[in-house]
Amino acid sequence: MKTKTADVRQDDDKYRAPALSKGLDILELLASSAEGLSQIEIAKQLGRTTSEIFRMLMVLRQRGYVDLYSDDDRYHLTTRMFELAHRHPPTRRLTSIAGEAMQRLADQVNQSMHLGIIHSGRVLVIAQVDCQDNNATSVRLGAHIPIYETASGRVLAAWMEEDRLARLVEDAGQEPRDKYKAFIGDLPAVRAAGYCAQPSLTIEGVQNISAPIFDFRGGVIAAVTIPFVHRLTGTSAASAGECRARLVAMAADISRRLGAGAALDDPAHSG
């Protein structure tokens, strides 16, 4: 009698697409390399021959997914995948609704802010707005940020069911262990409060304030975050407490516009 494991293995073999797998491996590898990689480095890290990698890289370059910087012979991702993601209706609708509200609030409180979603176990920044002040603390549009280092990652994870959270942690990796434990330990408090406010884990002096955006099913689909800075000169800004209250209110309004009214009335989603 065949076992269930054997059936799964047989199905995996049946639907294998080696060329597609190699192309995806290259894209995923380059996505985790800010400096880009040479053909030899890609082949070594993927355990492939340089000739295999060369053929795949030529196709990916022709399709506009990667580009070769002639000054250092390193391959880098283009914005092609980012552009494709924004053609996807849910993402386009989210950024369309959130963008104007974010810019309006950024100008009112004199703070920058960004919108993030979960992508491949990291926070992907899909929208970013600056305030009108000469000095702004912002996160690069398209940045992939480890969930363990962000307030937005905590907000995106805090309302997840156990199985989905387990998959997120698997995708993100559990190292370093202290950051993983701190991340998991923070989630109940974030859900109880309805937001996350904590000192930045990457920039001293910045207080990250992040609030959830819910969809019509009651799931958190995005987090909007203010990297709050206390200004010593220039245009006066709202206090951290006022920014937090207005950010939470804006996120709730965006959620309602996305059809999450019933979900927001559920006590499980309230602080």
Side-chain angles (χ1 to χ4, degrees):
M1 179 182 294
K2 289 196 300 183
T3 66
K4 184 176 181 179
T5 301
D7 289 337
V8 171
R9 188 181 299 112
Q10 187 177 50
D11 287 341
D12 288 344
D13 292 339
K14 179 180 179 181
Y15 296 111
R16 286 184 62 200
L20 176 59
S21 294
K22 282 186 283 189
L24 293 174
D25 286 343
I26 291 172
L27 293 176
E28 290 174 356
L29 179 61
L30 290 176
S32 63
S33 175
E35 303 299 324
L37 295 167
S38 69
Q39 178 182 326
I40 293 175
E41 289 171 332
I42 294 171
K44 183 177 180 180
Q45 292 195 38
L46 295 180
R48 303 281 186 177
T49 65
T50 54
S51 59
E52 283 182 290
I53 296 302
F54 176 77
R55 291 193 296 270
M56 296 306 304
L57 287 171
M58 290 306 98
V59 174
L60 291 172
R61 284 189 71 190
Q62 291 170 1
R63 298 296 296 268
Y65 288 93
V66 306
D67 200 2
L68 176 65
Y69 289 7
S70 57
D71 58 339
D72 61 2
D73 292 325
R74 302 176 80 82
Y75 289 88
H76 302 254
L77 285 185
T78 67
T79 59
R80 174 70 170 162
M81 288 194 294
F82 188 71
E83 293 164 2
L84 288 178
H86 276 72
R87 293 183 193 174
H88 188 51
T91 301
R92 188 167 65 242
R93 175 168 166 75
L94 172 61
T95 54
S96 175
I97 290 175
E100 183 179 346
M102 289 169 61
Q103 187 64 70
R104 185 165 55 249
L105 182 58
D107 292 339
Q108 291 170 354
V109 301
N110 200 23
Q111 299 285 343
S112 299
M113 64 186 66
H114 57 272
L115 185 71
I117 62 174
I118 290 293
H119 177 72
S120 299
R122 293 189 166 211
V123 176
L124 169 64
V125 177
I126 62 171
Q128 192 274 330
V129 298
D130 287 329
C131 58
Q132 296 179 351
D133 198 275
N134 291 333
N135 302 301
T137 300
S138 61
V139 177
R140 177 176 55 82
L141 182 65
H144 284 77
I145 312 169
I147 58 171
Y148 302 142
E149 298 177 0
T150 63
S152 53
R154 285 161 168 76
V155 164
L156 289 162
W159 281 265
M160 285 184 177
E161 299 293 338
E162 287 187 11
D163 59 340
R164 189 171 172 220
L165 178 59
R167 289 196 298 272
L168 172 62
V169 167
E170 182 178 359
D171 289 341
Q174 295 186 15
E175 299 297 339
R177 188 71 182 177
D178 57 337
K179 288 187 177 181
Y180 162 74
K181 291 178 66 176
F183 177 83
I184 296 297
D186 287 344
L187 299 186
V190 170
R191 180 162 181 162
Y195 61 85
C196 181
Q198 64 175 34
S200 170
L201 298 176
T202 57
I203 303 177
E204 187 173 357
V206 172
Q207 176 86 355
N208 286 325
I209 308 169
S210 188
I213 294 177
F214 296 91
D215 65 7
F216 69 94
R217 293 165 296 189
V220 176
I221 57 168
V224 58
T225 304
I226 294 176
F228 179 86
V229 292
H230 178 68
R231 300 185 182 280
L232 301 178
T233 61
T235 306
S236 62
S239 67
E242 183 180 352
C243 284
R244 182 184 66 240
R246 297 181 70 169
L247 182 72
V248 169
M250 182 194 73
D253 182 63
I254 293 171
S255 298
R256 290 190 177 91
R257 293 173 66 186
L258 290 170
L264 293 179
D265 291 336
D266 186 337
H269 295 105
S270 64

